[in-house]
Amino acid sequence: MMTAFKSRALPTITNEVAIACIGLYCMAVVMGYGRFLFTATLPDIMVQLSLSTTIAGWLASINYIGYFIGALIAMFVPQRSTWQAMMLWTIVSVVTTMLLVVPDMSLNVWYVIRLLAGIASGVAMILSSSFVIQSLSPARRSVLSAVHYAGIGVGISASAILTWWLLVLGYHFDVIWLVAGLSSLPLLWLLWAIKPKDPYLADSNHPSPRLSIYQTYLSFKQALYEAIAGHYKAIALLSASYVLAGFGYITSATFLPVMAAQRLTMQTYAGLIIWLVVGIFATLSNPLWGALAKRIGEIKTLMGLTVLQALGMCLPIWFDGAVGLYGNAAILGLTFVGMVSMTLTLIKNINPAYSNLLMGLATLAYALGQFLGPLVTVALAGEDGNFNAGLLVAAIGLIIGLILLLLFRRQSTTTA
């Protein structure tokens, strides 16, 4: 009876569309909430906690340091342990989201929570992508992987709507984070339902070998060598361009609602409306770029997105009012998820046998750019909080990244 009850309570999900949708939900939680809900709630956080722009920038950057560490951790996760690590760090992401409801926490505790949230986002984003994509048949992979990555845009949209709704009701960031965490709990059950049936892992008579830290290091070193052997220049160029992609988009992705609050003072909740625009365009964009990539290839699509995003960074400089900010929001949403998915696809395809490791390596590069971006932006903003210089530097970084992509394309063609 107990066995029958467990089988009914915990069904196994194997349908590919369902797995892709669960992947979407996972991305919405670990990225949309774990990372980008901070952007939506930042103006309220700054008011309620009397934070300066500099402290807000450091809170953003500490999260990106965590994302960097998370990407590093993901590189050490063997393929056979992908689901287990994904489950663990998704739980951490949900818990750290709900912890921000605790009142009167010191700034140091905030730093620790945002660091852990960043680590969880980095690990869960990479491993969920690897797990979901490897679970899809080759014939449906391109379409359904776009569904999975659309979760980032869905999460951003949800963060904007949730924040807007609860602020209108008179609540503040603490309740917003609690509700976000509670709405994430069903994901844990769904992830359990797609747990792979691996007899090697499940059979206690054949446990996985326990490796020492030194043996793990040697194993990782060997795997890294095998992953990049013969592809060093291509990986280096693509990773360097990804550093600049992370640096380029993060100024808007962190401070866009703050810029809207500064400039559009006559529009109530202008920052949240603009952040919702980012989420809607991010949700709709990935299937579009996936279809384009099937026609012209990932590298050409990625180069086009890089040019478009650089243009978007310039719009708030050229147009001081709503046109510049809404244009930036629409282009940011259109481009950044596509740039993530295209880059991860390109680097994974260099050596698919080491997809976790290579995707982790790329995400390390992206996280490095995201860590530096807010610090450079707040340094350039100065006491008056003008973000135009930061936007200009972001655009220049993206153009340099485009040059690196052109070199990567030439290198890849030569190698082929």
Short mmCIF file of all heavy atoms in Angstrom, two decimals, residues 169-204:
data_model
loop_
_atom_site.label_atom_id
_atom_site.label_comp_id
_atom_site.label_asym_id
_atom_site.label_seq_id
_atom_site.Cartn_x
_atom_site.Cartn_y
_atom_site.Cartn_z
N LEU A 169 -0.62 47.24 -3.23
CA LEU A 169 -1.37 46.82 -2.05
C LEU A 169 -0.78 47.37 -0.75
O LEU A 169 -1.34 47.14 0.33
CB LEU A 169 -1.43 45.29 -1.99
CG LEU A 169 -2.26 44.59 -3.08
CD1 LEU A 169 -2.19 43.09 -2.91
CD2 LEU A 169 -3.71 45.06 -3.05
N GLY A 170 0.36 48.05 -0.85
CA GLY A 170 0.94 48.68 0.32
C GLY A 170 2.04 47.89 1.00
O GLY A 170 2.52 48.27 2.07
N TYR A 171 2.45 46.78 0.40
CA TYR A 171 3.53 45.98 0.97
C TYR A 171 4.88 46.47 0.43
O TYR A 171 4.94 47.30 -0.48
CB TYR A 171 3.33 44.50 0.66
CG TYR A 171 2.08 43.92 1.26
CD1 TYR A 171 0.95 43.68 0.48
CD2 TYR A 171 2.02 43.62 2.62
CE1 TYR A 171 -0.21 43.16 1.03
CE2 TYR A 171 0.85 43.09 3.18
CZ TYR A 171 -0.25 42.86 2.37
OH TYR A 171 -1.39 42.35 2.92
N HIS A 172 5.96 45.91 0.98
CA HIS A 172 7.29 46.31 0.56
C HIS A 172 8.12 45.10 0.17
O HIS A 172 7.60 43.98 0.08
CB HIS A 172 7.96 47.14 1.65
CG HIS A 172 7.32 48.48 1.85
ND1 HIS A 172 7.45 49.50 0.93
CD2 HIS A 172 6.52 48.95 2.83
CE1 HIS A 172 6.77 50.56 1.34
NE2 HIS A 172 6.20 50.25 2.49
N PHE A 173 9.41 45.32 -0.06
CA PHE A 173 10.26 44.29 -0.66
C PHE A 173 10.28 42.99 0.13
O PHE A 173 10.41 41.91 -0.46
CB PHE A 173 11.69 44.82 -0.81
CG PHE A 173 12.43 44.98 0.49
CD1 PHE A 173 13.12 43.92 1.05
CD2 PHE A 173 12.42 46.19 1.17
CE1 PHE A 173 13.80 44.05 2.25
CE2 PHE A 173 13.11 46.33 2.38
CZ PHE A 173 13.79 45.26 2.92
N ASP A 174 10.14 43.05 1.48
CA ASP A 174 10.22 41.83 2.27
C ASP A 174 9.10 40.85 1.93
O ASP A 174 9.32 39.65 1.72
CB ASP A 174 10.22 42.15 3.77
CG ASP A 174 9.10 43.11 4.17
OD1 ASP A 174 8.39 43.61 3.28
OD2 ASP A 174 8.95 43.35 5.39
N VAL A 175 7.88 41.36 1.84
CA VAL A 175 6.73 40.51 1.48
C VAL A 175 6.84 40.04 0.03
O VAL A 175 6.49 38.90 -0.29
CB VAL A 175 5.41 41.27 1.71
CG1 VAL A 175 4.22 40.44 1.25
CG2 VAL A 175 5.26 41.64 3.17
N ILE A 176 7.35 40.91 -0.82
CA ILE A 176 7.52 40.53 -2.24
C ILE A 176 8.45 39.32 -2.36
O ILE A 176 8.14 38.36 -3.07
CB ILE A 176 8.08 41.72 -3.04
CG1 ILE A 176 7.07 42.87 -3.07
CG2 ILE A 176 8.44 41.29 -4.47
CD1 ILE A 176 7.63 44.19 -3.58
N TRP A 177 9.56 39.34 -1.63
CA TRP A 177 10.49 38.21 -1.68
C TRP A 177 9.90 36.95 -1.08
O TRP A 177 10.14 35.84 -1.56
CB TRP A 177 11.80 38.59 -0.98
CG TRP A 177 12.66 39.50 -1.79
CD1 TRP A 177 12.62 40.86 -1.82
CD2 TRP A 177 13.67 39.13 -2.72
NE1 TRP A 177 13.55 41.36 -2.70
CE2 TRP A 177 14.22 40.32 -3.26
CE3 TRP A 177 14.19 37.91 -3.14
CZ2 TRP A 177 15.23 40.32 -4.21
CZ3 TRP A 177 15.22 37.90 -4.07
CH2 TRP A 177 15.72 39.10 -4.61
N LEU A 178 9.10 37.09 -0.02
CA LEU A 178 8.46 35.92 0.58
C LEU A 178 7.48 35.27 -0.38
O LEU A 178 7.48 34.04 -0.55
CB LEU A 178 7.73 36.33 1.87
CG LEU A 178 6.95 35.22 2.57
CD1 LEU A 178 7.87 34.10 3.01
CD2 LEU A 178 6.16 35.78 3.76
N VAL A 179 6.64 36.08 -1.02
CA VAL A 179 5.67 35.54 -1.97
C VAL A 179 6.38 34.88 -3.15
O VAL A 179 5.96 33.82 -3.64
CB VAL A 179 4.71 36.65 -2.44
CG1 VAL A 179 3.79 36.14 -3.55
CG2 VAL A 179 3.88 37.17 -1.27
N ALA A 180 7.47 35.49 -3.61
CA ALA A 180 8.24 34.89 -4.70
C ALA A 180 8.76 33.51 -4.29
O ALA A 180 8.70 32.55 -5.06
CB ALA A 180 9.39 35.80 -5.09
N GLY A 181 9.27 33.40 -3.05
CA GLY A 181 9.77 32.11 -2.58
C GLY A 181 8.67 31.07 -2.47
O GLY A 181 8.84 29.91 -2.88
N LEU A 182 7.52 31.46 -1.94
CA LEU A 182 6.41 30.52 -1.81
C LEU A 182 5.91 30.03 -3.17
O LEU A 182 5.57 28.86 -3.34
CB LEU A 182 5.26 31.18 -1.03
CG LEU A 182 5.54 31.48 0.45
CD1 LEU A 182 4.38 32.25 1.07
CD2 LEU A 182 5.81 30.19 1.23
N SER A 183 5.89 30.94 -4.15
CA SER A 183 5.43 30.54 -5.49
C SER A 183 6.45 29.65 -6.21
O SER A 183 6.14 29.08 -7.25
CB SER A 183 5.14 31.78 -6.33
OG SER A 183 6.34 32.49 -6.62
N SER A 184 7.66 29.54 -5.64
CA SER A 184 8.69 28.69 -6.23
C SER A 184 8.66 27.26 -5.70
O SER A 184 9.28 26.37 -6.29
CB SER A 184 10.08 29.28 -5.94
OG SER A 184 10.18 30.61 -6.39
N LEU A 185 7.96 27.02 -4.60
CA LEU A 185 8.00 25.71 -3.95
C LEU A 185 7.52 24.55 -4.84
O LEU A 185 8.10 23.46 -4.79
CB LEU A 185 7.20 25.76 -2.64
CG LEU A 185 7.82 26.61 -1.53
CD1 LEU A 185 6.89 26.66 -0.32
CD2 LEU A 185 9.19 26.07 -1.13
N PRO A 186 6.45 24.72 -5.65
CA PRO A 186 6.04 23.60 -6.50
C PRO A 186 7.12 23.11 -7.45
O PRO A 186 7.09 21.95 -7.89
CB PRO A 186 4.84 24.17 -7.28
CG PRO A 186 4.31 25.26 -6.41
CD PRO A 186 5.51 25.86 -5.75
N LEU A 187 8.08 23.97 -7.76
CA LEU A 187 9.17 23.57 -8.66
C LEU A 187 9.94 22.37 -8.10
O LEU A 187 10.36 21.50 -8.86
CB LEU A 187 10.12 24.74 -8.89
CG LEU A 187 11.42 24.42 -9.65
CD1 LEU A 187 11.11 23.97 -11.08
CD2 LEU A 187 12.34 25.64 -9.65
N LEU A 188 10.12 22.34 -6.79
CA LEU A 188 10.91 21.27 -6.19
C LEU A 188 10.25 19.91 -6.42
O LEU A 188 10.93 18.92 -6.70
CB LEU A 188 11.10 21.54 -4.70
CG LEU A 188 11.72 22.90 -4.35
CD1 LEU A 188 11.85 23.05 -2.84
CD2 LEU A 188 13.07 23.06 -5.04
N TRP A 189 8.94 19.86 -6.32
CA TRP A 189 8.21 18.61 -6.61
C TRP A 189 8.35 18.23 -8.07
O TRP A 189 8.55 17.05 -8.40
CB TRP A 189 6.74 18.80 -6.24
CG TRP A 189 5.90 17.58 -6.50
CD1 TRP A 189 5.72 16.49 -5.68
CD2 TRP A 189 5.10 17.33 -7.66
NE1 TRP A 189 4.88 15.59 -6.27
CE2 TRP A 189 4.48 16.07 -7.49
CE3 TRP A 189 4.86 18.04 -8.84
CZ2 TRP A 189 3.63 15.51 -8.44
CZ3 TRP A 189 4.01 17.49 -9.79
CH2 TRP A 189 3.41 16.24 -9.59
N LEU A 190 8.26 19.21 -8.96
CA LEU A 190 8.37 18.92 -10.40
C LEU A 190 9.78 18.44 -10.77
O LEU A 190 9.94 17.55 -11.61
CB LEU A 190 8.00 20.17 -11.20
CG LEU A 190 6.53 20.57 -11.14
CD1 LEU A 190 6.33 21.95 -11.75
CD2 LEU A 190 5.66 19.54 -11.86
N LEU A 191 10.81 19.03 -10.16
CA LEU A 191 12.17 18.57 -10.43
C LEU A 191 12.36 17.13 -9.94
O LEU A 191 13.08 16.34 -10.58
CB LEU A 191 13.19 19.49 -9.76
CG LEU A 191 13.35 20.89 -10.35
CD1 LEU A 191 14.37 21.69 -9.57
CD2 LEU A 191 13.74 20.83 -11.83
N TRP A 192 11.73 16.80 -8.81
CA TRP A 192 11.81 15.42 -8.34
C TRP A 192 11.14 14.47 -9.33
O TRP A 192 11.59 13.34 -9.53
CB TRP A 192 11.15 15.30 -6.97
CG TRP A 192 11.37 13.95 -6.35
CD1 TRP A 192 10.57 12.86 -6.45
CD2 TRP A 192 12.49 13.56 -5.55
NE1 TRP A 192 11.11 11.80 -5.76
CE2 TRP A 192 12.29 12.20 -5.20
CE3 TRP A 192 13.63 14.23 -5.09
CZ2 TRP A 192 13.20 11.50 -4.41
CZ3 TRP A 192 14.53 13.51 -4.31
CH2 TRP A 192 14.31 12.17 -3.98
N ALA A 193 10.08 14.94 -9.98
CA ALA A 193 9.35 14.10 -10.92
C ALA A 193 10.13 13.81 -12.20
O ALA A 193 9.80 12.87 -12.92
CB ALA A 193 8.00 14.75 -11.27
N ILE A 194 11.14 14.62 -12.51
CA ILE A 194 11.96 14.34 -13.70
C ILE A 194 13.31 13.74 -13.34
O ILE A 194 14.23 13.71 -14.16
CB ILE A 194 12.15 15.61 -14.57
CG1 ILE A 194 12.88 16.70 -13.78
CG2 ILE A 194 10.81 16.11 -15.10
CD1 ILE A 194 13.25 17.92 -14.64
N LYS A 195 13.42 13.25 -12.11
CA LYS A 195 14.66 12.59 -11.69
C LYS A 195 14.95 11.41 -12.62
O LYS A 195 14.10 10.56 -12.85
CB LYS A 195 14.52 12.09 -10.26
CG LYS A 195 15.75 11.37 -9.73
CD LYS A 195 15.52 10.90 -8.30
CE LYS A 195 16.75 10.17 -7.77
NZ LYS A 195 16.53 9.69 -6.39
N PRO A 196 16.16 11.34 -13.17
CA PRO A 196 16.47 10.26 -14.10
C PRO A 196 16.59 8.92 -13.38
O PRO A 196 17.01 8.85 -12.23
CB PRO A 196 17.82 10.68 -14.69
CG PRO A 196 18.44 11.53 -13.63
CD PRO A 196 17.30 12.25 -12.96
N LYS A 197 16.19 7.87 -14.07
CA LYS A 197 16.31 6.52 -13.53
C LYS A 197 17.63 5.93 -13.98
O LYS A 197 17.73 5.34 -15.06
CB LYS A 197 15.15 5.65 -13.99
CG LYS A 197 13.81 6.06 -13.41
CD LYS A 197 12.70 5.12 -13.85
CE LYS A 197 11.37 5.50 -13.20
NZ LYS A 197 10.27 4.60 -13.61
N ASP A 198 18.65 6.12 -13.15
CA ASP A 198 19.99 5.63 -13.47
C ASP A 198 20.31 4.48 -12.52
O ASP A 198 20.56 4.72 -11.34
CB ASP A 198 21.02 6.74 -13.33
CG ASP A 198 22.40 6.32 -13.85
OD1 ASP A 198 22.68 5.11 -13.93
OD2 ASP A 198 23.18 7.22 -14.17
N PRO A 199 20.31 3.25 -13.00
CA PRO A 199 20.54 2.12 -12.10
C PRO A 199 21.89 2.18 -11.40
O PRO A 199 22.06 1.72 -10.30
CB PRO A 199 20.44 0.89 -13.01
CG PRO A 199 20.68 1.42 -14.39
CD PRO A 199 20.14 2.81 -14.38
N TYR A 200 22.89 2.81 -12.06
CA TYR A 200 24.22 2.90 -11.43
C TYR A 200 24.18 3.76 -10.19
O TYR A 200 24.78 3.47 -9.17
CB TYR A 200 25.23 3.47 -12.43
CG TYR A 200 26.63 3.63 -11.86
CD1 TYR A 200 27.46 2.53 -11.67
CD2 TYR A 200 27.10 4.89 -11.51
CE1 TYR A 200 28.72 2.68 -11.14
CE2 TYR A 200 28.38 5.05 -10.99
CZ TYR A 200 29.19 3.95 -10.81
OH TYR A 200 30.44 4.09 -10.29
N LEU A 201 23.37 4.84 -10.28
CA LEU A 201 23.27 5.73 -9.13
C LEU A 201 22.32 5.18 -8.08
O LEU A 201 22.51 5.39 -6.89
CB LEU A 201 22.78 7.12 -9.58
CG LEU A 201 23.75 7.93 -10.44
CD1 LEU A 201 23.06 9.19 -10.93
CD2 LEU A 201 25.01 8.26 -9.69
N ALA A 202 21.28 4.48 -8.53
CA ALA A 202 20.26 4.02 -7.60
C ALA A 202 20.66 2.75 -6.87
O ALA A 202 20.18 2.48 -5.77
CB ALA A 202 18.95 3.77 -8.37
N ASP A 203 21.53 1.93 -7.45
CA ASP A 203 21.88 0.64 -6.88
C ASP A 203 22.93 0.82 -5.79
O ASP A 203 24.06 1.22 -6.05
CB ASP A 203 22.43 -0.27 -7.99
CG ASP A 203 22.62 -1.71 -7.50
OD1 ASP A 203 22.46 -1.97 -6.28
OD2 ASP A 203 22.95 -2.55 -8.33
N SER A 204 22.54 0.53 -4.54
CA SER A 204 23.47 0.70 -3.44
C SER A 204 24.60 -0.31 -3.47
O SER A 204 25.60 -0.14 -2.78
CB SER A 204 22.71 0.58 -2.10
OG SER A 204 22.09 -0.69 -1.99
#
